[in-house]
Amino acid sequence: MTYLAKQAKAQTQAQAQIQAQIQAQGPASDPRLSSRIAALEAQLARLTSTLELVTSTPRLAEPAPSLDPPVTHSVVAAPVLVGPASAALPAPEAGADMAHRVDRFTLAALNLQAVLLAGRPYQRELQAMRDLAPADGLPPALAETLLSHAGRGLATPSDLREGFTALAPLLTARGPDYAGWGDWFSAMWRRLLAWIGLAEPLPPAPAEATVANVAQLLARGRLAPALADLETLDPVLQPLVAGWRAQARARIAAEQAVQETILRALGRGNPG
């Protein structure tokens, strides 16, 4: 309750008390009592006028006490980024076109990989893959590796196995462990006797062990380890396998180039 309201209430109570006193005393003939009544009536009139003035004056709303400054709600603009982060993003249509192009390029690379297994020339498949290649999708080094064998094709895995099977007797016969075909047949005869239990088994010659290991690796389709093992043969035997090694290296290089191209395309199509 404000101060003015309290004062008005007190004046109202005083007015009620004065009126009660006047009514209690009734008419009096004493001059002093009459003057007292007149004074009380004048005081009552002043209190009434004051009360009317107080009640007729509009009361102003008192501001509520506040410890914190008023909060102003305003719209804060988001900071504008300047630099690489604020670069314009590609349109969804452009992103979809790029993804479709990468998918087609990946399919072309997989098709080329299948053609490599057949061993036939692959100029058309290579050209289709180069036409669909996105930026940095086919590095020049990989493209040159594939292009160098596209005209004549590659030896198939079965061709390489059959070719080495034909070379195996020559490699074991001309190895430094045997002076000629006579020594080689003698060693084979002794091994036959050892196999039926009539002689002690002979340890295989280094060249023969290498040839046997290479044949097993080729039978399991492990061309790269077979080539690495064949290169450990005696330098005297290396000219005999020079042509076979060139064919094997060409197939390994082409297969690795296609595999790397496919992995790059898959990584581009699925980032991160």
Side-chain angles (χ1 to χ4, degrees), residues 53-92:
L53 179 62
V54 171
T55 55
S56 62
T57 303
R59 187 179 59 181
L60 298 178
E62 297 181 358
S66 176
L67 298 179
D68 298 329
V71 179
T72 303
H73 298 280
S74 60
V75 179
V76 180
V80 178
L81 299 179
V82 178
S86 62
L89 297 177

Side-chain angles (χ1 to χ4, degrees), residues 6-208:
K6 292 181 179 180
Q7 185 177 5
K9 184 178 179 181
Q11 291 176 353
T12 304
Q13 294 177 355
Q15 180 181 4
Q17 292 177 0
I18 293 173
Q19 292 178 351
Q21 291 179 2
I22 295 173
Q23 293 176 358
Q25 291 178 359
S29 59
D30 190 354
R32 291 180 300 178
L33 182 58
S34 299
S35 62
R36 177 60 179 170
I37 292 174
L40 291 175
E41 289 178 350
Q43 184 179 2
L44 179 60
R46 289 195 302 270
L47 290 175
T48 302
S49 60
T50 302
L51 180 60
E52 291 177 355
L53 179 62
V54 171
T55 55
S56 62
T57 303
R59 187 179 59 181
L60 298 178
E62 297 181 358
S66 176
L67 298 179
D68 298 329
V71 179
T72 303
H73 298 280
S74 60
V75 179
V76 180
V80 178
L81 299 179
V82 178
S86 62
L89 297 177
E93 294 79 4
D97 293 342
M98 178 59 66
H100 182 63
R101 183 181 182 90
V102 171
D103 292 341
R104 294 179 60 190
F105 173 70
T106 305
L107 292 177
L110 291 173
N111 183 44
L112 178 59
Q113 188 179 42
V115 173
L116 292 181
L117 294 177
R120 64 177 178 82
Y122 52 87
Q123 300 99 321
R124 183 178 59 183
E125 290 79 9
L126 178 59
Q127 186 61 41
M129 189 178 70
R130 296 177 68 180
D131 294 339
L132 295 172
D136 299 333
L138 185 61
L142 301 181
E144 292 176 1
T145 299
L146 294 172
L147 186 61
S148 60
H149 308 290
R152 62 178 180 273
L154 300 170
T156 63
S158 60
D159 293 338
L160 292 174
R161 286 195 301 268
E162 294 174 1
F164 186 79
T165 301
L167 288 174
L170 184 61
L171 294 175
T172 55
R174 295 191 179 184
D177 299 310
Y178 304 106
W181 287 100
D183 291 343
W184 181 78
F185 279 115
S186 175
M188 293 298 103
W189 177 250
R190 292 178 61 183
R191 284 193 173 85
L192 177 61
L193 294 178
W195 182 72
I196 63 179
L198 298 178
E200 293 293 332
L202 295 177
E208 186 177 354

Side-chain angles (χ1 to χ4, degrees), residues 184-236:
W184 181 78
F185 279 115
S186 175
M188 293 298 103
W189 177 250
R190 292 178 61 183
R191 284 193 173 85
L192 177 61
L193 294 178
W195 182 72
I196 63 179
L198 298 178
E200 293 293 332
L202 295 177
E208 186 177 354
T210 301
V211 169
N213 188 38
V214 171
Q216 293 179 0
L217 291 174
L218 291 176
R220 295 198 296 267
R222 303 183 60 188
L223 181 57
L227 181 61
D229 199 4
L230 189 62
E231 292 178 351
T232 62
L233 282 175
D234 192 272
V236 178

Side-chain angles (χ1 to χ4, degrees), residues 255-272:
E255 289 180 348
Q256 290 179 350
V258 174
Q259 290 177 0
E260 184 175 350
T261 301
I262 294 174
L263 292 177
R264 290 170 64 90
L266 294 177
R268 181 187 296 270
N270 299 278

